[in-house]
Amino acid sequence: MPSNTTQNSWRRLALVTGLIGATALLSGCNAMKRLSEVGEPPKLSSIDNPTQSESYRPVSLPMPAPQLAESNPNSLWRAGARSFFKDQRANQVGDILTVVVDMSDSAALANTTTRSRTNSEDLAVPNLFGLESEFTKVLPETIDPSNMFNMDSNTSNRGTGSLDRTEAIDLRVAAIVIQILPNGNYVIHGRQEIRVNSEVREVQIAGVIRAADISSANEVNYDKIAEARISYGGRGTISDVQQPRYGSEVLDIILPF
């Protein structure tokens, strides 16, 4: 019957083989797609309804109790309106608004930790009911009851870490209201693709906004978006060169050193 060590080795081998097989399958699909675009620029994605995507899930958040709207029959002013004649802001599913992303983020962190500890333990049994002399019958060598046990330990750790990050994004993206929550907040989703030569730049943005945060120019700043998901990337010949090969990524994950 195989030992536990042998069984664990076979399990690890099966796991690694499965990972390599799955990676090869994914890389094969991507390779076929890239081969189909040889000599041509990357194809742009089709314009689809994001709510019809298999990965789409309606947003569900805690909602306050519904409140009755106040009626002002003798007033020409509508509650929540920014314009006397008509409110031009997005206010229903399918309306478009502009998301302004002007992000300038920087972070710097330095941390140094030093720890040192010294221990010393001594144990003596000079008199143990007169049985201290019996130790010589159990232990192979003659021992001194006044110095039975002596232990010294010394531990020293030192760690230094630093972080310096700077990010800057300046763009404007048109987004669509895809859902109105029971409390009146809007769920928005926007996607933009720009192709320059053989490189496609992709921008995606999604989140939840308040109607009151939409300006009179029908714009909303990114810092007013709750649960914001902002993605800026690309695909094409340049991105392929910058992306590590699948084999290197697999080895980076599974290798212990």
Side-chain angles (χ1 to χ4, degrees), residues 194-205:
I194 303 174
R195 185 175 68 192
V196 180
N197 296 331
S198 296
E199 187 74 12
V200 175
R201 308 306 297 173
E202 299 175 324
V203 180
Q204 294 193 35
I205 189 166

Side-chain angles (χ1 to χ4, degrees), residues 116-122 150-156:
S116 178
R117 181 176 62 186
T118 302
N119 294 330
S120 179
E121 299 289 342
D122 294 323
N150 191 344
M151 181 182 70
D152 294 327
S153 66
N154 191 353
T155 302
S156 178

Side-chain angles (χ1 to χ4, degrees), residues 170-231:
D170 186 7
L171 54 89
R172 300 165 68 90
V173 183
I176 301 176
V177 178
I178 61 175
Q179 185 182 352
I180 298 180
L181 300 177
N183 66 341
N185 289 341
Y186 302 158
V187 180
I188 62 173
H189 182 276
R191 183 174 61 181
Q192 182 184 89
E193 295 185 1
I194 303 174
R195 185 175 68 192
V196 180
N197 296 331
S198 296
E199 187 74 12
V200 175
R201 308 306 297 173
E202 299 175 324
V203 180
Q204 294 193 35
I205 189 166
V208 180
I209 64 172
R210 299 189 309 164
D213 290 331
I214 304 176
S215 68
S216 58
N218 199 34
E219 296 178 350
V220 63
N221 292 327
Y222 80 97
D223 55 355
K224 303 295 184 182
I225 303 176
E227 296 296 323
R229 302 293 185 268
I230 302 174
S231 173

Side-chain angles (χ1 to χ4, degrees), residues 76-89 216:
L76 297 177
W77 185 262
R78 292 179 293 117
R82 294 291 186 92
S83 174
F84 184 79
F85 297 101
K86 185 178 180 181
D87 192 351
Q88 301 292 334
R89 300 175 302 169
S216 58

Side-chain angles (χ1 to χ4, degrees), residues 54-191:
E54 294 182 357
S55 60
Y56 172 75
R57 297 293 183 272
V59 176
S60 178
L61 296 174
M63 295 291 111
Q67 298 180 357
L68 297 178
E70 297 181 2
S71 177
N72 299 317
N74 296 327
S75 176
L76 297 177
W77 185 262
R78 292 179 293 117
R82 294 291 186 92
S83 174
F84 184 79
F85 297 101
K86 185 178 180 181
D87 192 351
Q88 301 292 334
R89 300 175 302 169
N91 58 11
Q92 60 183 358
V93 174
D95 285 354
I96 298 175
L97 73 158
T98 302
V99 179
V100 180
V101 181
D102 186 6
M103 180 185 301
S104 180
D105 186 18
S106 62
L109 176 64
N111 190 5
T112 301
T113 302
T114 302
R115 185 178 65 177
S116 178
R117 181 176 62 186
T118 302
N119 294 330
S120 179
E121 299 289 342
D122 294 323
L123 176 64
V125 188
N127 190 357
L128 183 64
F129 303 103
L131 301 177
E132 61 275 4
S133 60
E134 299 293 327
F135 292 152
T136 57
K137 299 179 181 180
V138 179
L139 300 177
E141 298 179 359
T142 302
I143 62 172
D144 183 6
S146 63
N147 188 16
M148 291 288 295
F149 182 77
N150 191 344
M151 181 182 70
D152 294 327
S153 66
N154 191 353
T155 302
S156 178
N157 294 324
R158 180 179 179 86
T160 302
S162 62
L163 172 66
D164 189 1
R165 185 189 69 212
T166 301
E167 299 173 349
I169 301 176
D170 186 7
L171 54 89
R172 300 165 68 90
V173 183
I176 301 176
V177 178
I178 61 175
Q179 185 182 352
I180 298 180
L181 300 177
N183 66 341
N185 289 341
Y186 302 158
V187 180
I188 62 173
H189 182 276
R191 183 174 61 181

Side-chain angles (χ1 to χ4, degrees), residues 10-30:
W10 279 107
R11 290 172 183 170
R12 294 193 189 97
L13 180 60
L15 178 60
V16 172
T17 304
L19 290 174
I20 295 176
T23 304
L25 180 61
L26 293 175
S27 61
C29 296
N30 186 52

